[in-house]
Amino acid sequence: NLRDYPGATAAWVRVTDLKPTDVNAWYNLGWAYMSADPPLPDKADAAWARVLQLAPDSDMAKTVRGHQPTASPTPPR
């Protein structure tokens, strides 16, 4: 909420490094990438793909699918 998107991105990257299965971190990292100026949709998609892999039935995954029209309903194996 401070609009420090580079700082937020760096923080979320660090969290995903420390806790690679933290769905909230991947979800928020995707939003941080989309909030960058300019937005970084490829990086956001990669972060959100982890959300789909880790928690495919979550509300976060549902939101991600709404922002990724080609997102698979189930993670690739």
Side-chain angles (χ1 to χ4, degrees):
N1 290 335
L2 298 174
R3 301 200 186 278
D4 177 12
Y5 302 117
T9 301
W12 288 120
V13 166
R14 181 73 175 135
V15 173
T16 61
D17 287 343
L18 294 171
K19 294 179 160 186
T21 60
D22 186 325
V23 178
N24 289 312
W26 288 107
Y27 180 79
N28 287 315
L29 178 58
W31 286 113
Y33 284 135
M34 289 305 291
S35 298
D37 186 20
L40 302 167
D42 291 342
K43 288 188 174 193
D45 286 344
W48 288 337
R50 292 288 291 149
V51 172
L52 296 175
Q53 289 174 339
L54 294 168
D57 298 324
S58 68
D59 287 341
M60 286 180 281
K62 182 179 178 182
T63 300
V64 165
R65 284 187 196 96
H67 291 279
Q68 292 182 309
T70 60
S72 169
T74 56
R77 298 191 188 257

